[in-house]
Amino acid sequence: MRGTILASAAALLASTSMAFAASVSDGKVKIGILNDQSGVYADFGGKGSVEAAKMAVEDFGGKVLDSAIEIVDADHQNKPDIASNIARQWFDTNQVDAIMELTTSSVALAVQAIAKEKKKIDIVTGAATTELTGKQCSPYGFHWAYDTHALAVGTGGALVKQGGKKWFFLTADYAFGYSLEGQTSEFVKANGGEVVGAVRHPLSNADYSSFLLQAQSSGANVVGLANAGADTQNAIKQAAEFGITQSGQRLAALLFTLAEVNGLGLEAAQGLTLTEGFYWDRDDESRKFGERYMKRTGKMPNMIQAGTYSAVLQYLKAIQKAGTDETEAVAKQLHSMPVEDVFAGKGTVGPNGRMIKDMYLLEVKKPSESKKPWDYFKVLATIPGKEAYIDPAKSGCDLVK
């Protein structure tokens, strides 16, 4: 009788394991990190986001539903056509279950459209346009780390309150730049300010002299940099050469992260106001995460890299809770589960796929104020998630009822 019971138990265990294995397509969960690894946004996310994704897999335990987890990555070179080709190959032939990071808004919009067509999950951490959870939302698409509305509320709002009423924009000439300029302009005007001019520059631009001369002669007291990565760094360096800030104009780096401050240096970046969704030195938990990341990469994480960690971890939690990696079931869990980790704190996901969490208004320290490596920011304010992000009901997403 004892032998029969043991045999039955063994058979039950085996059948349960087989059921769990069968609930994961291809016997493996494969996550693709698709971003810029060689261009203007290489430090912004790049290989650092890949490493953050691997950290999330390790912290989850390396397996989900008794199946292996694999991270793959590729460089989309900030080109939507290249990104689209990679995404199709990953989904159609390489058994990739979800694509994440997706720096560059034009790339993210293109890949999200493919993921929607293929009924696959995408979670964007590197791109900023609110269109991802607005008119171009997807039932399988999620926007995780930040967006242009949060940046406009944070940095734009702070400078308007400090008297920055006249704005001139230097804007990256693609979807992200238009969105950031547009939403910051609306916020400036709603608070009694005005936009006196704007100029658009190509992505990965080298020479800002003509643009800065226009900004200098515009009569604006704030020059809004609606760009990111190396473009922002170059614009700030050249603005110093033209004496922009010395003449009384203020620079507003509307998307500027820890990575760009490190690349620029405190001497050039000091005094800049910016908005991020994560700062490694904010509390004990973020410091522990930052130090772990630092040991692996030699750098501290910004919000894109910490956000990618969070996105991968939450995706794996959703598979675990759903009991399958089937897209509809996982998407349902991603929409309903709270997001609790070192990046999100306590976040929620709206019906349009927007993850809502607090953001932080930061100021870059003077060199004399920095006491240790990567000690770059003063936290000026916490911006509640409900203020930072558009109400899903007003987002324009047709999934919101």
Side-chain angles (χ1 to χ4, degrees), residues 27-175:
K28 179 186 291 185
V29 171
K30 189 179 286 190
I31 301 167
I33 305 299
L34 184 56
N35 61 6
D36 177 11
Q37 299 180 6
S38 58
V40 66
Y41 300 138
D43 289 335
F44 185 72
K47 285 290 188 180
S49 290
V50 178
E51 202 61 35
K54 292 178 180 177
M55 285 177 66
V57 171
E58 291 169 16
D59 287 354
F60 191 78
K63 286 188 174 184
V64 59
L65 302 180
D66 284 337
S67 297
I69 306 164
E70 182 180 349
I71 299 292
V72 297
D73 68 273
D75 182 355
H76 60 47
Q77 302 173 47
N78 295 309
K79 296 178 180 177
D81 57 339
I82 291 176
S84 296
N85 288 337
I86 293 170
R88 289 188 184 280
Q89 181 180 339
W90 276 0
F91 287 146
D92 292 344
T93 64
N94 294 357
Q95 291 82 48
V96 169
D97 299 291
I99 297 179
M100 302 187 193
E101 222 271 37
L102 295 168
T103 308
T104 313
S105 292
S106 53
V107 163
L109 289 167
V111 172
Q112 179 156 291
I114 293 169
K116 183 179 181 180
E117 172 196 333
K118 302 289 184 181
K119 293 190 176 181
K120 296 285 189 177
I121 299 289
D122 74 277
I123 306 181
V124 177
T125 58
T129 179
T130 53
E131 284 294 290
L132 288 160
T133 51
K135 292 180 181 178
Q136 298 190 50
C137 66
S138 162
Y140 317 117
F142 300 86
H143 202 179
W144 219 250
Y146 71 107
D147 64 22
T148 51
H149 187 270
L151 300 176
V153 170
T155 309
L159 292 177
V160 171
K161 288 176 184 176
Q162 292 172 16
K165 298 290 187 179
K166 290 186 176 182
W167 285 63
F168 183 95
F169 288 94
L170 266 67
T171 302
D173 192 11
Y174 74 104

